[in-house]
Amino acid sequence: IPVIISDDYLPPFHEVIDWSRFSILLAKQNLPELSRILNSISPETSEKMRQIGQRIYWQHLQSSAKVALSTLRLIERRIL
């Protein structure tokens, strides 16, 4: 499960990808809670998050062509 520790970082394609479905988004001030948060994730939830992350990777990030298509979708979404 990806862990993103930041107060203001926006993950790639955040407008079209719901990163909270497959990663942990953590403010810097909550860093001391990271171990507790990770340990509280059930194996079933962890597996589901892994599967979602893998699907997102293959749909949007796996190749430069898919990144380009995702970028075009994002631009189209902003225009419309």
Side-chain angles (χ1 to χ4, degrees):
I1 298 173
V3 177
I4 301 169
I5 302 168
S6 178
D7 294 328
D8 54 8
Y9 174 73
L10 295 175
F13 306 114
H14 68 277
E15 294 176 46
V16 293
I17 297 173
D18 181 1
W19 284 78
S20 67
R21 294 183 64 218
F22 63 94
S23 66
I24 304 298
L25 306 170
L26 191 67
K28 290 178 186 176
Q29 68 186 26
N30 296 328
L31 187 55
E33 298 296 315
L34 180 58
S35 180
R36 183 192 60 75
I37 291 168
L38 292 175
N39 287 326
S40 72
I41 299 171
S42 72
E44 295 81 14
T45 299
S46 178
E47 178 60 20
K48 185 173 182 177
M49 292 174 80
R50 187 195 66 74
Q51 290 173 358
I52 293 169
Q54 189 173 41
R55 189 176 71 237
I56 294 295
Y57 171 77
W58 287 107
Q59 288 176 347
H60 297 281
L61 306 168
Q62 181 262 338
S63 67
S64 57
K66 291 192 179 192
V67 169
L69 285 173
S70 294
T71 302
L72 290 173
R73 279 189 219 115
L74 181 59
I75 292 169
E76 178 183 51
R77 190 175 192 175
R78 289 180 181 176
I79 292 173
L80 300 177

